Amino acid sequence: MELQIRDLAKTYGNGVRALDRVSLTIPTGMFGLLGPNGAGKSTLMRTLATLQDADAGSAVLKGLPGGDIDVLRDKDAVRRVLGYLPQDFGVYAKVSALDLLDHFARLKGLVDAPSRRQTVEALLHRVNLHAVRKQKLGGFSGGMRQRFGIAQALLCNPKLVIVDEPTAGLDPEERVRFHNLLADIAADVIVILSTHIVSDVADLCGQLAVIDAGRVLLTGRPDALVAGMQGRIWRKAAGKGEIEALKARLQLVSTRLQAGQTIVRAYAEGGVPEPGFEPVESELEDVYFCSIAGYLRDPVAAAA
Ligand code: ADP
């Protein structure tokens, strides 16, 4: 199975070009869509989830037993294979997890009560909410609510699962639990995870794309992208007054506080950028920041 997106474009009525000829090939497994706020991630997710229309381009889900699906035109067919967890997934605070999931299941067409009950119970087990299924959703933590969101997205065995910024606001423990759940469902379906959190993608995704201002800057495997950056990232502890000058002279990647010191990381292809810097192992965050900053001269090709 594969989702082929070609030259997808969207300009909103206010003139914002949210998608600028986006082309991506997304295989089964976890795919990370990484970009800063306003990059166009939600626009892409909502378009693939049939909730809004693109101006131009195509998206085709290939390799399904029932034949290919034209995602932009055959919305009913997409909805039959889609699981979607939107960014602003709201729940009814006064309803129990069991009742709301049952309600969603009925909306999805599971009319036979006994088998619907079985499906709902199994999903609540799968997302580890079975023990609290009779509690009202209003009392759930952010992580529990997101796991409930995944349960409703998994109703009817979707082949394409889209989760938009799912870990924003989760504490570290809840994030790990949520990651494990996503990794578990990604075995034989396409899961697209949109996020601005680099470590979500580093830990989870077999493939990623970086987008900014509606354009794909980079695609590839996280490990290969990181390996491709080896030897190009340099670090030093900088004094407070030094940072602005360094910014002006060098291609700075990030400044972080570490044990009370400001550590700057710089990108340089041809050896040490200036005395005082030392080589350091590259990380996915370096890849991300360098692509957003435009340091990678031919970014899409660099990833190939
Ligand atoms: P992201 O999910 O990466 O934060 P979005 O897809 O939400 O990005 O937004 C991309 C750009 O499109 C932003 O500049 C945003 O302000 C703009 N935008 C999003 N939705 C609308 C809309 N309904 N009308 C006008 N502009 C929008």
Side-chain angles (χ1 to χ4, degrees):
M1 218 174 26
E2 194 172 86
L3 177 61
Q4 279 188 3
I5 302 168
R6 294 291 175 267
D7 295 319
L8 207 60
K10 174 74 181 180
T11 302
Y12 285 110
N14 58 0
V16 171
R17 189 176 291 182
L19 298 177
D20 187 0
R21 282 166 293 142
V22 167
S23 294
L24 292 169
T25 300
I26 303 182
T28 51
M30 292 279 308
F31 187 93
L33 186 69
L34 195 55
N37 285 332
K41 303 182 297 297
S42 287
T43 301
L44 179 58
M45 304 286 93
R46 287 197 305 261
T47 306
L48 297 175
T50 74
L51 298 174
Q52 66 180 64
D53 292 320
D55 299 333
S58 67
V60 181
L61 197 53
K62 298 199 158 193
L64 287 166
D68 296 352
I69 297 177
D70 182 331
V71 174
L72 302 186
R73 291 195 180 76
D74 200 351
K75 294 185 178 177
D76 286 339
V78 178
R79 287 171 193 156
R80 281 194 286 274
V81 298
L82 175 75
Y84 178 51
L85 177 57
Q87 195 170 1
D88 47 3
F89 179 62
V91 292
Y92 300 93
K94 293 186 176 154
V95 181
S96 74
L98 180 67
D99 288 346
L100 189 58
L101 196 57
D102 187 72
H103 173 69
F104 283 137
R106 233 177 314 153
L107 292 181
K108 281 238 175 176
L110 297 177
V111 284
D112 177 57
S115 76
R116 184 173 72 240
R117 188 67 170 208
Q118 222 173 11
T119 303
V120 164
E121 296 264 340
L123 276 173
L124 287 166
H125 271 297
R126 190 159 178 198
V127 301
N128 212 359
L129 290 174
H130 195 261
V132 293
R133 67 193 181 285
K134 293 188 177 157
Q135 292 180 17
K136 293 192 170 57
L137 289 155
F140 277 19
S141 68
M144 290 161 83
R145 238 176 267 177
Q146 287 302 66
R147 279 185 280 133
F148 179 81
I150 284 291
Q152 65 77 32
L154 292 182
L155 282 164
C156 300
N157 299 316
K159 295 292 168 204
L160 172 64
V161 176
I162 294 177
V163 286
D164 198 353
E165 300 267 1
T167 62
L170 299 194
D171 67 34
E173 201 180 317
E174 282 178 330
R175 267 182 61 204
V176 169
R177 193 180 273 191
F178 192 76
H179 282 176
N180 289 338
L181 178 60
L182 286 180
D184 177 48
I185 61 178
D188 55 353
V189 303
I190 297 173
V191 180
I192 308 177
L193 166 77
S194 116
T195 183
H196 63 275
I197 301 170
V198 177
S199 61
D200 281 352
V201 171
D203 297 346
L204 271 179
C205 298
Q207 296 268 341
L208 70 83
V210 175
I211 74 166
D212 192 18
R215 300 180 63 190
V216 176
L217 300 181
L218 192 72
T219 62
R221 295 184 51 85
D223 50 359
L225 292 169
V226 171
M229 290 289 273
Q230 292 299 357
R232 300 180 184 193
I233 303 296
W234 307 82
R235 56 166 262 165
K236 82 167 198 170
K240 266 208 177 90
E242 214 184 337
I243 291 170
E244 284 310 311
L246 283 172
K247 261 187 202 160
R249 288 205 294 279
L250 302 175
Q251 296 188 307
L252 284 204
V253 180
S254 60
T255 59
R256 294 182 204 165
L257 269 178
Q258 257 169 21
Q261 274 191 314
T262 302
I263 306 292
V264 301
R265 291 167 83 91
Y267 177 82
E269 290 174 20
V272 63
E274 63 179 48
F277 277 85
E278 58 178 14
V280 64
E281 293 264 313
S282 58
E283 297 168 2
L284 194 59
E285 210 161 67
D286 300 318
V287 175
Y288 176 60
F289 286 132
C290 285
S291 66
I292 297 283
Y295 298 158
L296 311 178
R297 263 172 299 164
D298 187 5
V300 176

